Amino acid sequence: LAPLSVAQANEGKSLPQIRRYRANLVTRYQLAAITDHKWFKAVTIGGAIRWEDKGAIGYYGIANSSGVYTSLDATRPIYDKAHLYLDAFASYRTSLFKGKVKANFQLNVRNLHEEGRLQPISALPDGTPSGYRIVDPRQFILSATFDL
């Protein structure tokens, strides 16, 4: 009944599990704006910053006289910390086959600073994490597109 009582207590309120604030910033810059060098003129670099606020992963419990948690306190969520993610990319645009086919080669690096970890997604009433998700380490993605 504890989860039901928390749901009833939160009825009509914004849920602490939903991260209240989130921000994304994406930018790109063509090096042709700063140089006349043939190779650098075809290069574009960029990146992204993604940030999300803290989010609740559970609720602290209310213990009875013997120390057993019998209900959850809907006013005391257990929060996961805020997260920051960084991405970067570099692309090169060129022509192949004597200018007949335009090609774009791009290297993306997702989660630039991430080494891989377990992130808590749920917690017991005493605040101990009980469930986790795997956060992948940085990923390198190379792609090629062709305009025929």
Side-chain angles (χ1 to χ4, degrees):
L1 294 176
L4 177 62
S5 65
V6 169
Q8 289 172 337
N10 284 329
E11 197 169 311
K13 299 178 185 175
S14 63
L15 295 175
Q17 292 91 339
I18 297 174
R19 296 178 188 269
R20 187 175 210 173
Y21 300 105
R22 175 181 306 265
N24 296 319
L25 174 68
V26 180
T27 187
R28 60 182 276 162
Y29 189 76
Q30 293 180 322
L31 297 184
I34 60 171
T35 184
D36 286 331
H37 188 275
K38 180 181 175 183
W39 192 86
F40 286 119
K41 284 179 72 168
V43 174
T44 301
I45 58 173
I49 298 173
R50 296 172 284 130
W51 175 82
E52 59 187 15
D53 196 13
K54 65 182 181 180
I57 58 172
Y59 292 91
Y60 286 103
I62 301 172
N64 62 16
S65 59
S66 61
V68 176
Y69 295 107
T70 56
S71 62
L72 299 174
D73 187 352
T75 63
R76 294 181 53 217
I78 301 167
Y79 285 104
D80 178 31
K81 64 182 182 174
H83 297 283
L84 178 71
Y85 303 100
L86 303 172
D87 303 332
F89 78 89
S91 69
Y92 180 72
R93 184 134 179 97
T94 189
S95 294
L96 304 172
F97 306 110
K98 297 181 183 177
K100 293 181 181 178
V101 177
K102 293 194 186 286
N104 189 56
F105 300 95
Q106 183 165 323
L107 176 66
N108 291 349
V109 183
R110 183 167 170 85
N111 293 335
L112 194 61
H113 68 290
E114 192 63 61
E115 307 255 340
R117 61 187 163 85
L118 295 176
Q119 179 178 332
I121 58 170
S122 62
L124 298 172
D126 66 353
T128 306
S130 62
Y132 297 88
R133 80 175 183 96
I134 298 170
V135 176
D136 292 327
R138 77 183 61 82
Q139 296 177 332
F140 295 89
I141 303 162
L142 180 63
S143 61
T145 57
F146 303 96
D147 298 335
L148 301 176

